[in-house]
Amino acid sequence: MPTFGITPQRLGTATALALILAPMPLLAQDADSVQAPASQTQDAAQSQDSAQARAANQSQDTAQAQRADVPLVPTQPTWNTFHGQNNAQKYSPLDQINVDNVGQLEKVWEVHTGDVSDGTGDIPATVWSATPIFANDTLYIGTPFYRLLALDPATGEQKWSFDTHSKLEALTQPVLKNRGVAYWEAKDPEPGQACQKIVYMGTMDAQLFALDADTGKPCQDFADNGVLDVNQWNTTHAKWPLSILQPPTVVGDHLIFGWAGKDWAFETAPPGTVFSIDARTGKREWTFEALSPEMREKSGTANVWTQMSVDEANGLIYLPVSSPSPNYWGGNRTESAPLATSTTALDVDTGKVVWSRQWVHHDVWDYDINAAPTLMDITVDGKQIPALIQATKMGFLFVVNRLTGEDVWPIEERPVPQGDGSVKGEVYAKTQPFPTKPAPLLDQSKKPKIWELADMVGGGQCSRLWDDLYYEGMYTPPTTQGEGTLAYPDSAGGVQWGGVAFDPQSQTAIVNVSHIVQTIKLYDREAYEKADSGSGNESGFSPQEGAPYGMRLNVASNWLGMPCWEPPFGELVALDMHTGDVKWRRPVGASQQYGFFMPERWGSPTIGGPAVTAGGLIFIGASMDAKLRAYSLESGEELWSDQAQAPAVANPAVYEYKGREYVAFIAGGNTILKDQVGDQVVVYALPQDKQ
Amino acid sequence: MPSSQSKPLGAIVLLLAALVGAAVAGYAYVTPLTGVNGSLGALVVIFACLALALMALILMPLKHRGGRIFWRLLALVGLIGTGFAGLLLHQWGIAAAMVLGLIGLILDLRRPTANRRVAHA
């Protein structure tokens, strides 16, 4: 159940009171001109509240009226958010670089920030999943050392930088992590005043910084001299700081953000509050909770740690909500939690739930909804539908009407496995939602086939592992038996935070999917203490402290690290959103182990995502081989590639500056993919004489 | 007096090829944006090439037939393995160097083996 923050609640109450009580003083004055002082004070307060409420409503109405004119697809080339645009389409209408000339792309500049660590020294390893944003004729970038850089978009020359001096400690993640920055500008800027344009960046220790976009100086009117301590609102099971790794989503004058923590570590954890604050002042406006008050006491998280998307014209913000705590055991949360592991649409002004669809009931697989849903207007059977597509770790793509949450293509509740009875306290969901269209990006209905080569090299290791793994199809619950449950895919697989890109002209959706088999094994407390106690995130042991079971999550591989399942390990898929059918699919990138590149037909797992352009191109890094590539949107043919320092594990940015189109990648790497880190910002364009 | 054919030309070519391979692998290992810099694979190839160079040096003066066969076979395995590794590292220069080394090995096969009886006579 959502709870509303103090301000909207008070406004709502004040509005209701104002409507009821407004005529009363007049009547009272008519009836009796002599009132007790206390009553006069109360009336004055009510009158003031009423005036404030009216002013607030008026301001809200004005904001709504302004938003109603905002088209879903920006009319100008825009790349001022983590996903390019608030609709999360990652689409650029630029076509200077196109299928005919993309082969001539050249590196026009690269910058190495120096903010990188491979984890071998005192500083934890860095994971840099940021997309540069282009705004105010500047490229803004946040680094995993929590510095904010403003760069010249044509040359990479630094305009200014700001160091938050955040401690370089892995407080909530196994690594130092940053997903970039957010940008806001005033609709009616006051000339000569600072902070009419602001860039925001959060830190792992829960500080949100607001800096003047022109100068890089902290905005004095924002919270405490430009810094908001989000951790002041960390009041339930405050086991860790509310890390602000994902930049806020900017809607009008609202900044809306969730937070990240280590949701694999404890049974009870901070509940996943989403905050809306005033972009100018940092004042809290409303909050949203995905869990009921009772569930918040017993469990926690169901947070939003990734980007959100926004339909500004309709005043809706879409939250990809994660699973409750702990990740792999749900005996402490057997009652219904309908907003967990969901896409939930909120009113941007009030935080009130407009609709919500739960994609995993009673999630015990860490199937956090990890990407902003992509908003799109599509034509299906001749009917125009305001839709969204929600990508998932499971490899399912759910398509619903974004105004109502109703199915575009039927989403069926189907019976799912009920476990082997080895786990105490569980009450598994009897059914789970399965989309009928688009078809699942990978076939989870049966155990994936063993890769003979890996099995041979491993001396039958894969066959033995397969025999010891429990699998009854998608949503097979974790077990304490054998080597555990086979999960295909689990938390590292399916679609990650890059989400789905969309070309609104051809109504083609583009998504990269990883085929990864993982194993989940639960250990009762005694067995866990004997097994291991290493910290984990996407692999290894996790204590789930407080719960009766610790757990182990591994990738199913042989002694040499070769995957036990058949390639391809990752694909790029194009979907015709008129029909929901696959237009084409192809392996993406190349896997790499110890430096050795595997054949491209085997593909690569990918972290990060694509960008599409009106030039008929898809740009994507994301693969293990740390190559940046361009593909034809029409055919999937690879048209260009270049080597980066590390895998580019976020979407690229496409922007235009002084008449020249640029494509920017951040090559920072992610330990989920491989232990290769980078600090490279690299930007490409056509040679000057070829534009 | 040694004939021109008794000169260890093939082994010299093998040595050069191995050194070129080591240089290419070394460059790939230390240079950013080669795709394999700092990788275990590139490091292994450097050592494999140096081992091939050592084999070439051993082959040069070696006259004993059995010894030559052994080291040539070992070099052949090394060349094929290192060339394949070079291909997987996308370092075509290594693969080319290994082809050159193979040519050197073939040339070395033409070098006459010392006749023990004649030598004793």
Side-chain angles (χ1 to χ4, degrees):
Chain A
M1 281 291 289
T3 58
F4 306 125
I6 294 164
T7 306
Q9 198 171 32
R10 195 168 60 193
L11 287 178
T13 310
T15 309
L17 278 173
L19 289 170
I20 295 163
L21 299 177
M24 289 179 72
L26 300 173
L27 292 170
Q29 278 167 15
D30 285 345
D32 184 2
S33 59
V34 181
Q35 290 180 314
S39 176
Q40 278 179 350
T41 309
Q42 195 176 13
D43 284 350
Q46 282 169 353
S47 171
Q48 197 179 344
D49 274 1
S50 161
Q52 282 175 350
R54 275 197 298 272
N57 282 343
Q58 210 164 24
S59 157
Q60 197 170 305
D61 289 346
T62 310
Q64 280 170 353
Q66 280 175 349
R67 282 202 304 262
D69 296 331
V70 178
L72 183 71
V73 182
T75 50
Q76 298 296 315
T78 303
W79 214 280
N80 61 4
T81 80
F82 181 78
H83 278 330
Q85 313 82 34
N86 266 346
N87 58 28
Q89 287 186 356
K90 304 113 195 165
Y91 169 74
S92 172
L94 298 171
D95 61 1
Q96 189 179 83
I97 304 167
N98 55 50
V99 289
D100 296 324
N101 59 24
V102 67
Q104 299 165 27
L105 271 191
E106 62 177 25
K107 191 186 293 180
V108 290
W109 60 265
E110 69 177 304
V111 164
H112 291 268
T113 67
D115 293 0
V116 64
S117 166
D118 62 6
T120 53
D122 293 338
I123 300 174
T126 47
V127 158
W128 197 15
S129 313
T131 295
I133 66 165
F134 175 72
N136 193 32
D137 283 348
T138 305
L139 212 57
Y140 295 104
I141 293 164
T143 78
F145 283 8
Y146 305 106
R147 287 194 310 134
L148 208 160
L149 310 177
L151 306 179
D152 183 296
T155 64
E157 191 182 338
Q158 188 171 294
K159 292 183 171 182
W160 56 259
S161 71
F162 179 84
D163 192 342
T164 63
H165 295 291
S166 181
K167 282 182 187 169
L168 301 183
E169 292 176 12
L171 298 173
T172 63
Q173 309 284 307
V175 290
L176 298 175
K177 204 177 267 189
N178 175 277
R179 296 179 192 271
V181 303
Y183 176 83
W184 167 88
E185 63 181 42
K187 289 281 178 292
D188 302 307
E190 294 175 35
Q193 291 293 307
C195 294
Q196 302 302 295
K197 298 169 182 173
I198 302 177
V199 278
Y200 306 88
M201 189 179 74
T203 63
M204 193 174 289
D205 56 0
Q207 309 295 300
L208 181 64
F209 286 78
L211 308 176
D212 183 288
D214 290 324
T215 65
K217 293 195 164 45
C219 293
Q220 300 303 311
D221 293 339
F222 183 87
D224 184 8
N225 293 318
V227 189
L228 175 67
D229 178 12
V230 178
N231 220 34
Q232 66 182 294
W233 300 322
N234 188 5
T235 54
T236 307
H237 306 311
K239 293 188 169 84
W240 57 70
L242 307 182
S243 296
I244 311 297
L245 307 178
Q246 182 72 42
T249 301
V250 180
V251 197
D253 289 342
H254 304 290
L255 293 189
I256 300 167
F257 58 90
W259 52 267
K262 39 183 173 183
D263 56 356
W264 56 91
F266 298 100
E267 178 191 22
T268 54
T273 314
V274 171
F275 303 96
S276 174
I277 62 170
D278 185 296
R280 288 183 174 84
T281 64
K283 188 180 172 191
R284 195 167 71 168
E285 297 169 330
W286 52 258
T287 60
F288 161 80
E289 300 282 1
L291 300 177
S292 67
E294 297 76 31
M295 283 277 277
R296 275 178 259 159
E297 285 302 318
K298 295 189 296 183
S299 169
T301 66
N303 54 340
V304 178
W305 54 261
T306 187
Q307 185 71 10
M308 308 168 203
S309 46
V310 184
D311 179 345
E312 293 194 50
N314 290 293
L316 295 174
I317 183 159
Y318 301 92
L319 276 52
V321 183
S322 76
S323 63
S325 290
N327 278 343
Y328 294 93
W329 179 74
N332 62 334
R333 48 183 173 88
T334 52
E335 58 268 58
S336 170
L339 302 186
T341 319
S342 75
T343 304
T344 296
L346 305 182
D347 182 302
V348 292
D349 291 319
T350 65
K352 186 180 173 185
V353 175
V354 176
W355 61 261
S356 180
R357 290 293 299 263
Q358 184 169 59
W359 303 128
V360 182
H361 309 315
H362 190 70
D363 184 353
V364 287
W365 301 270
D366 191 21
Y367 283 144
D368 294 356
I369 303 304
N370 59 357
T374 305
L375 314 186
M376 52 183 68
D377 292 328
I378 55 175
T379 312
V380 178
D381 297 331
K383 266 186 10 187
Q384 284 208 326
I385 300 175
L388 68 75
I389 186 167
Q390 179 64 70
T392 64
K393 287 183 180 182
M394 298 88 79
F396 289 144
L397 297 167
F398 295 101
V399 185
V400 297
N401 183 310
R402 70 173 181 271
L403 303 183
T404 63
E406 292 164 343
D407 300 358
V408 169
W409 292 288
I411 297 166
E412 297 173 349
E413 288 288 333
R414 295 182 190 161
V416 290
Q418 292 299 295
D420 60 2
S422 68
V423 180
K424 295 186 183 75
E426 276 291 10
V427 182
Y428 301 117
K430 300 279 183 227
T431 63
Q432 296 285 1
F434 287 75
T436 54
K437 262 194 173 183
L441 294 170
L442 27 76
D443 180 9
Q444 322 100 322
S445 62
K446 51 189 179 297
K447 261 187 185 174
K449 281 184 185 165
I450 293 172
W451 189 22
E452 296 297 337
L453 181 62
D455 200 29
M456 194 175 66
V457 171
Q461 198 180 3
C462 293
S463 296
R464 291 192 293 277
L465 177 63
W466 250 231
D467 289 343
D468 281 344
L469 287 170
Y470 166 54
Y471 194 68
E472 294 185 333
M474 189 63 191
Y475 297 113
T476 302
T479 177
T480 61
Q481 304 299 302
E483 285 297 312
T485 296
L486 182 149
Y488 180 61
D490 196 64
S491 58
V495 185
Q496 293 288 335
W497 49 80
V500 178
F502 181 68
D503 169 34
Q505 306 305 319
S506 62
Q507 299 197 5
T508 304
I510 300 295
V511 62
N512 51 303
V513 60
S514 300
H515 302 230
I516 298 177
V517 176
Q518 287 175 287
T519 66
I520 307 165
K521 181 173 165 71
L522 295 181
Y523 295 82
D524 64 43
R525 196 47 63 194
E526 194 182 339
Y528 182 82
E529 299 308 328
K530 286 180 191 162
D532 205 330
S533 58
S535 65
N537 183 1
E538 299 299 335
S539 66
F541 287 86
S542 300
Q544 303 196 132
E545 207 171 290
Y549 299 96
M551 61 84 58
R552 186 195 65 193
L553 180 67
N554 275 340
V555 173
S557 54
N558 68 12
W559 63 274
L560 204 55
M562 292 172 74
C564 278
W565 65 99
E566 282 188 336
F569 307 118
E571 289 180 290
L572 193 62
V573 183
L575 299 157
D576 181 348
M577 292 307 292
H578 297 294
T579 61
D581 294 330
V582 171
K583 280 175 92 165
W584 52 259
R585 61 191 307 159
R586 56 155 299 147
V588 61
S591 299
Q592 196 181 17
Q593 182 81 317
Y594 309 124
F596 299 118
F597 295 91
M598 300 296 116
E600 290 203 12
R601 68 175 183 280
W602 292 354
S604 164
T606 48
I607 304 266
V612 296
T613 76
L617 294 169
I618 303 161
F619 289 100
I620 186 168
S623 51
M624 283 180 86
D625 58 3
K627 285 195 171 141
L628 315 169
R629 291 179 168 84
Y631 295 94
S632 160
L633 177 64
E634 179 60 32
S635 65
E637 183 190 355
E638 185 179 322
L639 301 173
W640 168 85
S641 75
D642 195 25
Q643 183 69 51
Q645 185 191 12
V649 292
N651 306 77
V654 182
Y655 61 91
E656 183 181 47
Y657 181 63
K658 293 185 176 172
R660 196 177 188 193
E661 181 182 348
Y662 298 87
V663 186
F665 294 84
I666 284 181
N670 191 306
T671 45
I672 298 172
L673 209 52
K674 65 192 292 204
D675 292 331
Q676 185 182 6
V677 293
D679 65 344
Q680 184 192 28
V681 185
V682 58
V683 176
Y684 298 87
L686 292 174
Q688 294 276 19
D689 58 341
K690 298 283 171 59
Q691 292 164 37
Chain B
M1 193 173 161
S3 69
S4 62
Q5 279 202 329
S6 69
K7 281 183 183 169
L9 179 64
I12 291 169
V13 172
L14 177 61
L15 175 68
L16 283 175
L19 292 176
V20 168
V24 174
Y27 176 83
Y29 182 78
V30 298
T31 309
L33 303 183
T34 57
V36 297
N37 59 304
S39 68
L40 181 64
L43 198 61
V44 166
V45 168
I46 293 170
F47 284 112
C49 287
L50 292 177
L52 278 169
L54 187 66
M55 286 178 215
L57 289 172
I58 292 169
L59 270 172
M60 272 183 209
L62 199 62
K63 297 203 166 28
H64 186 268
R65 181 183 163 85
R68 275 198 188 177
I69 290 170
F70 172 77
W71 287 109
R72 279 171 182 160
L73 275 175
L74 205 60
L76 182 65
V77 171
L79 284 167
I80 292 169
T82 309
F84 184 61
L87 290 175
L88 290 182
L89 291 172
H90 289 191
Q91 297 300 313
W92 318 124
I94 296 171
M98 294 307 106
V99 170
L100 184 66
L102 196 61
I103 292 167
L105 196 63
I106 292 165
L107 286 176
D108 195 62
L109 286 172
R110 298 179 60 199
R111 190 152 61 99
T113 311
N115 189 321
R116 194 173 291 230
R117 286 179 191 166
V118 172
H120 280 289

